[in-house]
Amino acid sequence: MADKAYLPLPVELEGLTPAWLTAALSDHAPGIEVRGFEVVDEMRTTCTKLRLRLDIAGPRGEPPVPDTVILKGGFEPHSRMMWNMHMTECLSYATLMPAFAMRTPQVWFSRWDESAKQGIVIMEDLALRGVEFCKPTQPQAFDAIAARLTELARLHAGTWDSPELREGGRWGWMSDTPERILDFMGPLLEADVWDSFVASPRGAAASTRFHDRYWMREAMEQTAVFARDLPRCACHGDTHLGNLYVDTDGTPGFFDCISYKAPGMYEVTYHLACALDLADRPAMERPLVQHYLDSLRGHGIAAPSLDEAMDQFAAFLAYGYLIFIVNDAVFQPEAYNTAYTARFSAAMLDHHTKERLAEVA
C-alpha cells in the first residue's frame, strides 16, 4: 500500500471528515465517495479505535469496502509520545503481513505520516464475520497454540537473517527490540513510576524477587547482550492473547501488529508465557517449542536445538515480564496485566531467569 500521493493524516478526531475518508479509501477503490459517516462506538486505550458506519456512493473496490469499518490511529494525549508504535503498526499491515499471507483483518488503508508522527489504519470489522477473539483471562490449549506457532514460524523463516531487515531494506524500519527496549521503556523504570506498579495488584501477583527496578534494568541490558549474536527475523511484535483471533475456518489470526526484529524465540517466549495457563505451561512449553523448531526446519531454517531454544526461553522471559509489570491500566485492564505478570513471574522462577541472566558477560 505505497502512497500514490501525499495525504496528510489528521491528529485530531475533528480531522476525520467525509472528504478525508474519501481520499483515504480512493487508493483501494478509485471513484468511491464517502458522503457521510457515523461513529458507532469507540475504544480509547493505547490508541483510538473507532467503529464507523459509512454512507458510500460509487465503486467500492475489490474486495469491496463495507458499510462498517474500524479506523485506528493515534488520537490520544499520549499518541505523539508513542509514535513508533503507530509507525510500526501501519508499516506492518502495509508491507509485512501481506508479504507472508498472515491472516489479519482486511486492510483498506494503512499509512504513516512522518511529518505528523501519525499512523492510521482503516480495516475490516472482524466482529461482523463472527471470528473468535482470544482473551487474556482464558489461556489456550496445546493445539491452538501449536497452530499459531506454525504461522509465526512461517513469518520468522521468511525473514530469517534477511538483508531486508537492515537499513535501506524493505523492512529496515523495524527496531531491534532486544537492543533498544530501554530506549522506550527506560522512563518507566524511574522510582516513582516503577514503585506505583509494584504496589498494584500485578505487583502482588509477582514474586518479590522481581520487584527491584535496578535488577529489571540490568536484566534488559543482559538480555541485549545475550541476544546480540543470534539471527534476527521479523516478528508480529505483540502476540499476547488480546491481539489474536481464530478465523471462521480455524486459521489463527493476528491484529495490532507492531513488528520488530529479534531472535525468533524472543517472540515465541512472549507468546507462550502469555497463552499458557500456570498449571499447563511446565508440561507444554518444551513440546510447543519443539513444534516451532520443527516448523522452522520445514522452511529450510537451521533452527537451534531444543536445549538451546529453551536456554533462550529462560533468558527472554524477562522482556515479557517488563512489558506487563509496567503496562498502564489505560492500555490493558488491570486483570489482564495481573494475569500476564503472574504467568511471566512463575515462568521466570521455574527457569531461573534471574540466575541465567546473571551469567551473561
Side-chain angles (χ1 to χ4, degrees), residues 59-137:
R60 292 174 179 248
E62 187 56 44
V65 178
D67 292 334
T68 302
V69 299
I70 300 294
L71 184 144
K72 184 175 180 181
F75 298 101
E76 300 304 311
H78 53 260
S79 291
R80 304 290 72 77
M81 293 184 293
M82 302 181 73
W83 64 267
N84 187 70
M85 180 195 69
H86 300 298
M87 179 191 75
T88 56
E89 181 167 18
C90 288
L91 295 178
S92 296
Y93 278 125
T95 71
L96 180 66
M97 295 291 142
F100 298 97
M102 300 294 285
R103 187 66 59 91
T104 66
Q106 175 66 45
V107 173
W108 318 110
F109 175 86
S110 186
R111 296 274 182 89
W112 166 248
D113 186 335
E114 178 67 27
S115 62
K117 296 297 186 200
Q118 171 68 305
I120 294 179
V121 183
I122 303 175
M123 67 179 79
E124 173 188 11
D125 183 356
L126 290 171
L128 298 180
R129 289 204 292 109
V131 307
E132 177 187 349
F133 291 99
C134 302
K135 298 178 181 178
T137 50

Side-chain angles (χ1 to χ4, degrees), residues 193-333:
V193 181
W194 176 263
D195 291 347
S196 69
F197 288 121
V198 168
S200 70
R202 75 193 72 171
S207 168
T208 57
R209 295 194 70 199
F210 309 125
H211 280 185
D212 185 346
R213 68 189 180 95
Y214 295 106
W215 169 79
M216 189 77 259
R217 178 178 291 275
E218 185 179 34
M220 291 300 95
E221 293 169 350
Q222 291 164 332
T223 300
V225 174
F226 180 92
R228 194 154 291 159
D229 294 330
L230 297 174
R232 268 37 178 182
C233 62
C235 300
H236 167 281
D238 197 13
T239 51
H240 76 80
L241 293 176
N243 293 338
L244 306 171
Y245 66 98
V246 180
D247 216 329
T248 53
D249 64 357
T251 301
F254 303 83
F255 56 91
D256 286 6
C257 314
I258 50 173
S259 298
Y260 56 67
K261 60 184 177 184
M265 280 300 300
Y266 201 79
E267 175 152 80
V268 170
T269 301
Y270 180 84
H271 176 60
L272 290 184
C274 285
L276 284 166
D277 186 75
L278 291 169
D280 294 333
R281 180 189 45 75
M284 291 187 182
E285 59 189 12
R286 284 181 68 89
L288 284 167
V289 170
Q290 185 65 67
H291 174 84
Y292 167 75
L293 298 174
D294 291 343
S295 297
L296 282 180
R297 293 187 184 103
H299 292 289
I301 300 300
S305 70
L306 178 58
D307 285 344
E308 290 170 331
M310 293 308 299
D311 188 48
Q312 294 177 35
F313 185 93
F316 294 151
L317 284 165
Y319 162 71
Y321 175 79
L322 172 62
I323 294 298
F324 292 107
I325 191 70
V326 298
N327 191 38
D328 199 295
V330 171
F331 305 147
Q332 292 287 333

